[in-house]
């Protein structure tokens, strides 16, 4: 069983790095918002035809959601957490490491391949790109990805 809290913990570690630092400096409001963001991201993916059999929370107690079974298979933990890390990075005032972007991209492609979404993967909306980042390529910090919708192919 992979809990929603485990996914959020991994997403935060992907942003901050050191496990001890990552999990001790997080307030309950930030953590609860990250769990809410996970729920929203999974709902949006499901509405786009990517149904990972995620167990959505039925009650309104956000604090208890972190202990709920996510319903995700073990191989989905890293891709979902990396995409969540991209989504929550602004809340934690962190830049997303290039490695996390790359892991999110690879994972998204695996999920799409396994669950059969066809057609080009495009972000839901254009995302800003700074001039200094333009040369870095599709899956770098150039923000060519929308974590709610996955990554574009180019």
């Amino acid at each position: 069983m992979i809990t929603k809290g485990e996914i959020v913990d991994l997403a935060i570690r992907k942003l901050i790095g050191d496990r001890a630092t990552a999990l001790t400096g997080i307030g309950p409001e930030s953590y609860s918002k990250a769990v809410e963001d996970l729920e929203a991201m999974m709902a949006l993916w499901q509405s786009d035809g990517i149904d990972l059999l995620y167990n959505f929370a039925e009650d309104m107690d956000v604090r208890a959601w972190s202990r709920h079974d996510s319903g995700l298979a073990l191989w989905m933990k890293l891709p979902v957490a990396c995409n969540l890390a991209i989504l929550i990075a602004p809340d934690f005032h962190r830049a997303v490491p290039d490695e996390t972007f790359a892991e999110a991209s690879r994972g998204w492609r695996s999920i799409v391949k396994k669950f059969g979404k066809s057609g080009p993967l495009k972000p839901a909306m254009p995302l800003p790109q700074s001039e200094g980042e333009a040369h870095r390529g599709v899956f770098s910090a150039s923000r060519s990805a929308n974590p709610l919708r996955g990554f574009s192919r180019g």
Side-chain angles (χ1 to χ4, degrees), residues 5-96:
E6 290 172 328
I7 294 168
V8 170
D9 290 348
L10 180 56
I12 293 169
R13 284 195 313 268
K14 288 293 181 179
L15 287 176
I16 299 176
D18 178 38
R19 178 181 166 82
T21 303
L23 300 180
T24 57
I26 305 303
E29 298 84 21
S30 297
Y31 196 86
S32 293
K33 184 173 180 331
V35 177
E36 289 175 347
D37 289 341
L38 172 63
E39 293 276 311
M41 183 178 77
M42 298 310 294
L44 192 55
W45 286 8
Q46 185 177 41
S47 74
D48 280 349
I50 304 293
D51 187 357
L52 304 181
L53 304 176
Y54 181 80
N55 292 330
F56 290 97
E58 295 178 15
D59 61 16
M60 296 306 291
D61 184 9
V62 177
R63 292 167 300 197
W65 289 0
S66 66
R67 297 184 302 272
H68 287 183
D69 178 13
S70 67
L72 299 179
L74 182 59
W75 71 269
M76 296 177 201
K77 182 178 178 182
L78 183 62
V80 170
C82 288
N83 277 281
L84 180 61
I86 294 167
L87 181 63
I88 67 174
D91 296 335
F92 290 91
H93 309 287
R94 297 286 180 160
V96 179

Side-chain angles (χ1 to χ4, degrees), residues 108 117 119-125 144 146 149-154:
W108 176 252
K117 182 172 175 148
L121 302 175
K122 299 289 181 190
M125 62 187 141
S144 63
N146 180 335
R149 300 269 189 198
F151 284 79
S152 80
R153 289 192 185 154

Side-chain angles (χ1 to χ4, degrees), residues 100-113:
T100 301
F101 271 107
E103 288 173 338
S105 169
R106 283 190 302 271
W108 176 252
R109 286 192 306 259
S110 295
I111 288 169
V112 169
K113 184 176 179 182

